[in-house]
Amino acid sequence: MSGPADPSARYRLQLSKVTSLVFSTRREAVVLTGTLAELETAYRKVLRHNLLAGWWGFPFGLIWTPTALVRNRRALDKLRHLAKGANPPRPGGGGRGLRMTLLLGLGVGAALVGLLAGTGSALPGDRQAAGWSGPSGIPGSEGSLVAVSCPTTAFCMAVGGGNAATYERGRWSRAVHIDTYPASDTGLVTVSCVSATFCVAGDGAGDAFTYDGSGWSRPVAVTRAGFSEISCGTKSICVGVDDNGDATVFEASAWSPPEGIPGSSQPLSISCDEGRFCMALDGNATGTYVFESGQWVDAGELAVLTPDGGSQTPAGSAVSCAGGAGGGAGGGAGGGAGTSFCVALDNFGEAFTWNGSRWSGGFRFDANLADSSDAVSCASPKFCVVVDMDGTAATWDGAGWSSQGQVPAAGGSFDSVSCPSAGFCMALDGSGQSLVYKSG
């Protein structure tokens, strides 16, 4: 049911802003809060900026600008539907507004490509990452799914917007509506499963939901800030971090009051293994924090290298941990007691490994990534997969990184990945479609 938008209601809108100067291109995420009218005005300003300043970097201005135009227009369409109390638009939709935005943007891009062609320049060919399927739609999801968790190769759970869908026996079920918040920012944003009969999901309004194998619970209000991520090591313990930078623990079927992590500014990502070990990653800085035996301990900082001497603030973007015995689920729930192994990512395309006592130096898995989002999942200390907003993927084999390349993600980017074993991963792209990785 829909109606006129409340002009005084306030919302949140995330936009991609691209700035180019010849051979240098920077992409940043801009998070805005305001009324619908204020956010529509802000959208138009970012649109003008992208059209005028986004294209001029070679080659990535030509690649990132059309992606930003599409993602921003879809974000605005979802916001307008939310304001009217309507369901979010279906994938591939967007109507005349999206088509006009694309035509205008592609017209500018085509002109620039023509100029480049006249000088004999060409866009580089990206090597395709091996083992990945093409994208596949999830029935009834309306393109809203943003997070996935797979405790086994036979079961996965995906959530996003107000929807949740299960993957069993090689097929996705039709998504069911479990949350009253339909928008991508206030709806479901995270999920962690330890088995096919226990999952926990959280939304951008701070509510948590549990799945018991037959259905979802009613929402439980946990934090006034929205969840950023939840990770469950076992059925008896989960830890979540919220948008205020506080952490909350689910234990004995109840959530603790949110409390700050000493020394952190705003934890963005968290991963727990079966040994009751969790690692939290700061989303506004480079700090990391271990949760063990009910206490938070500073685990040191990531040695982030800002690319090209740029001025962007270095920060963490994702983390996944796995115990010595392997196992694991998406978003980082690992398996096995004992010293944990973790992989953390920064917002500049670097990956760092944790050996139980300290972090390694960074490995640049995507030399072209600048100030953007990533996802990582470790099935064991000998197998991890990294994916990012550029559609790049890389794998860790216990000794080093390999198999870098582009994945044919329909959305041009990745939102989430989950690897329960070295032979199987499930990922979601920027359009809410699923992609499967199989080795061998």
Side-chain angles (χ1 to χ4, degrees), residues 287-348:
T288 63
Y289 308 88
V290 167
F291 181 76
E292 202 165 22
S293 301
Q295 301 292 323
W296 289 101
V297 179
D298 191 323
E301 295 195 1
L302 305 178
V304 176
L305 297 176
T306 304
D308 302 323
S311 60
Q312 305 102 306
T313 301
S317 63
V319 64
S320 180
C321 300
T339 301
S340 281
F341 170 86
C342 303
V343 169
L345 310 179
D346 67 14
N347 56 342
F348 294 130

Side-chain angles (χ1 to χ4, degrees), residues 113-398:
V113 170
L115 290 173
L116 291 171
T119 64
S121 300
L123 294 176
D126 291 314
R127 183 170 65 87
Q128 183 168 317
W132 287 92
S133 71
S136 176
I138 299 176
S141 67
E142 300 176 329
S144 62
L145 303 179
V146 297
V148 63
S149 180
C150 304
T152 70
T153 59
F155 179 85
C156 300
M157 180 70 72
V159 302
N163 300 314
T166 56
Y167 176 86
E168 295 181 274
R169 296 183 291 276
R171 297 180 61 182
W172 284 101
S173 68
R174 185 169 185 83
V176 296
H177 196 76
I178 68 169
D179 196 351
T180 58
Y181 296 98
S184 58
D185 285 337
T186 52
L188 297 160
V189 295
T190 179
V191 63
S192 183
C193 301
V194 298
S195 71
T197 58
F198 184 80
C199 301
V200 175
D203 67 18
D207 292 342
F209 306 74
T210 56
Y211 176 79
D212 63 5
S214 60
W216 287 93
S217 70
R218 296 180 63 84
V220 175
V222 178
T223 171
R224 292 185 178 181
F227 274 109
S228 175
E229 189 164 17
I230 294 173
S231 183
C232 299
T234 68
K235 185 177 180 179
S236 61
I237 185 167
C238 304
V239 180
V241 290
D242 67 20
D243 290 340
N244 279 344
D246 294 333
T248 175
V249 180
F250 178 81
E251 198 166 13
S253 302
W255 289 93
S256 68
E259 293 184 353
I261 298 177
S264 70
S265 59
Q266 187 175 7
L268 170 75
S269 181
I270 190 165
S271 179
C272 302
D273 72 11
E274 292 180 5
R276 301 175 70 86
F277 170 98
C278 300
M279 179 73 76
L281 185 62
D282 204 319
N284 282 341
T286 57
T288 63
Y289 308 88
V290 167
F291 181 76
E292 202 165 22
S293 301
Q295 301 292 323
W296 289 101
V297 179
D298 191 323
E301 295 195 1
L302 305 178
V304 176
L305 297 176
T306 304
D308 302 323
S311 60
Q312 305 102 306
T313 301
S317 63
V319 64
S320 180
C321 300
T339 301
S340 281
F341 170 86
C342 303
V343 169
L345 310 179
D346 67 14
N347 56 342
F348 294 130
E350 291 181 306
F352 306 80
T353 56
W354 168 265
N355 65 4
S357 61
R358 64 185 181 87
W359 290 100
S360 70
F363 167 77
R364 184 62 59 80
F365 67 88
D366 185 352
N368 304 316
L369 189 64
D371 199 14
S372 194
S373 59
D374 321 295
V376 57
S377 182
C378 293
S380 75
K382 295 185 177 181
F383 183 80
C384 302
V385 165
V386 171
V387 294
D388 70 16
M389 195 172 178
D390 282 344
T392 299
T395 58
W396 167 264
D397 63 6

